[in-house]
Amino acid sequence: MASSSSSAAVSRLNNLRRHLDSNLNAIKVKIAAEVSEALSLGRPVVALESTIISHGMPYPQNLETAKQVEAIVRENGAIPATIAILDGTPCVGLSVEELERLATLGTKAQKTARRDIAHVVASSGNGATTVSASMFLASMVGIPVFVTGGIGGVHRHGEQTMDISSDLTELGRTPVAVICAGVKSILDIPRTLEYLETQGVCVAAYKTNEFPAFFTESSGCKVSCRVDTPEDCARLIEANIKLNLGTGVLIAVPIPREHSTSGHIIESAIQKALKEARENNIIGNAETPFLLARVNELTGGASLASNIALVKNNALVGAKIATALAQLRE
Ligand code: PSU
Ligand code: MN
């Protein structure tokens, strides 16, 4: 009896220490009250990015999806913490009004990857954070689980352009678990996995041996680690943290079969969009948003419907993982 109550006290102190440590950072991060409370009590929190809202989907589907994703996280026992930079202040946990603001700003918000954070803060700008910047801020405040649709990767012809998303290097340097549906085939999937290996990132696939390709369940690429339950994921994440590896973990959840877009339709739309991007010299951080929007147009909205369905599924799985991790730490 005495030992179980003292271990509960130690666990409470550890939660408080993690929370206080995160508050010692010099830059002011605005943490929503419910997120702050959950973190100090060791309750499950799921971090979410915001480039998917501003640049990844059109209005009003972006706003609807952002709200529904937060609701799914709550229904599955965790507190959602959408991350963005508003008027120069990094925010972890947004109000409905703040979500609306980002959704209506759309591409007028600055797409903010790690390299852009200091600039957006210094210029009091509005930044929609990508996976890399959101992971950085989630880690700063002590959130170990983060959900998105798909991460950036090595672009096709990346061996010539060196266009490799900073999401991959962030996974190599920041201990946050990223739940996603894999990588879109607008990117070079085998090279993306090679690069993650170089960065020392554990890539796990959920209920499959294969890395998923976002719109479809399979990419033809095998992964070295398979997880079958939220508890498996929680044990993996906790081991990664306790080993002090310093790297993130990527957990790839295949799109539910009933929502996957036909691989053939997607592939031909991707080929056309890639050709147009090359012809119009669309490069750098403009490439991903261009390809996403164009593939959606070319598929008559089918890719957007799939995208929304998979993000919701990731939110469901991510909330269960965050809950299992909180239980493991009790
Ligand atoms: N892939 C998607 N939807 C998205 C993104 C990627 O299916 O919205 C966004 C994410 O925010 C990701 C970013 O972190 O694009 C990667 O951009 P880049 O390739 O410029 O690094
Ligand atoms: Mn890039």
Side-chain angles (χ1 to χ4, degrees):
M1 189 64 199
S3 88
S4 85
S5 71
S6 73
S7 79
V10 168
S11 145
R12 272 200 300 277
L13 270 176
N14 279 337
N15 286 326
L16 201 56
R17 201 196 58 215
R18 272 195 289 269
H19 186 57
L20 289 175
D21 280 353
S22 69
N23 282 342
L24 291 177
N25 292 297
I27 275 277
K28 185 100 197 73
V29 175
K30 190 176 138 212
I31 310 179
E34 60 170 350
V35 173
S36 185
E37 188 192 5
L39 289 173
S40 67
L41 295 171
R43 298 214 177 113
V45 175
V46 170
L48 300 159
E49 60 144 319
S50 48
T51 298
I52 190 172
I53 303 174
S54 61
H55 291 66
M57 289 181 192
Y59 185 85
Q61 288 95 335
N62 58 354
L63 179 59
E64 275 312 299
T65 306
K67 288 198 229 167
Q68 286 167 357
V69 162
E70 290 209 349
I72 290 168
V73 169
R74 284 184 203 283
E75 281 156 23
N76 289 279
I79 301 292
T82 301
I83 296 177
I85 302 176
L86 294 172
D87 302 315
T89 301
C91 299
V92 177
L94 301 185
S95 64
V96 175
E97 293 72 32
E98 288 168 331
L99 283 180
E100 269 168 13
R101 193 171 158 200
L102 268 183
T104 47
L105 272 174
T107 54
K108 287 197 205 87
Q110 184 168 347
K111 178 175 168 184
T112 306
R114 170 185 262 266
R115 67 153 190 204
D116 309 299
I117 300 173
H119 167 64
V120 175
V121 168
S123 60
S124 304
N126 292 312
T129 47
T130 67
V131 171
S132 68
S134 306
M135 281 179 76
F136 172 80
L137 292 168
S139 171
M140 199 182 202
V141 303
I143 306 177
V145 177
F146 168 82
V147 165
T148 187
I151 62 164
V154 178
H155 283 253
R156 294 196 191 185
H157 308 292
E159 70 279 19
Q160 279 143 27
T161 63
M162 287 185 69
D163 192 351
I164 298 170
S165 174
S166 62
D167 296 351
L168 304 187
T169 41
E170 198 63 33
L171 278 160
R173 72 204 291 182
T174 299
V176 167
V178 176
I179 322 304
C180 72
V183 176
K184 281 205 180 69
S185 52
I186 56 173
L187 300 166
D188 184 330
I189 298 178
R191 281 195 174 97
T192 297
L193 292 171
E194 286 295 343
Y195 197 81
L196 285 167
E197 182 186 346
T198 304
Q199 289 289 318
V201 178
C202 172
V203 178
Y206 193 71
K207 296 187 178 165
T208 168
N209 297 313
E210 210 177 302
F211 194 68
F214 197 88
F215 291 120
T216 54
E217 296 163 80
S218 62
S219 65
C221 302
K222 294 265 180 291
V223 295
S224 55
C225 171
R226 172 182 173 134
V227 278
D228 284 285
T229 61
E231 290 72 27
D232 280 353
C233 298
R235 280 188 292 272
L236 178 66
I237 294 165
E238 188 68 344
N240 187 68
I241 290 171
K242 285 200 165 150
L243 285 162
N244 260 323
L245 282 159
T247 46
V249 173
L250 188 63
I251 297 174
V253 181
I255 184 171
R257 187 163 298 160
E258 65 274 23
H259 296 295
S260 69
T261 319
S262 141
H264 172 70
I265 294 174
I266 285 289
E267 193 49 39
S268 65
I270 286 172
Q271 289 303 340
K272 192 159 192 292
L274 282 168
K275 187 162 168 282
E276 289 176 11
R278 276 196 299 277
E279 283 166 3
N280 295 295
N281 198 30
I282 292 162
I283 54 166
N285 76 347
E287 184 171 336
T288 300
F290 172 82
L291 294 174
L292 295 180
R294 201 59 193 116
V295 169
N296 185 44
E297 278 168 20
L298 291 167
T299 58
S303 71
L304 180 60
S306 294
N307 199 340
I308 292 170
L310 69 83
V311 175
K312 289 186 190 169
N313 185 52
N314 293 348
L316 173 99
V317 176
K320 288 183 176 167
I321 293 173
T323 303
L325 183 61
Q327 272 163 8
L328 196 68
R329 288 175 166 186
E330 262 170 19

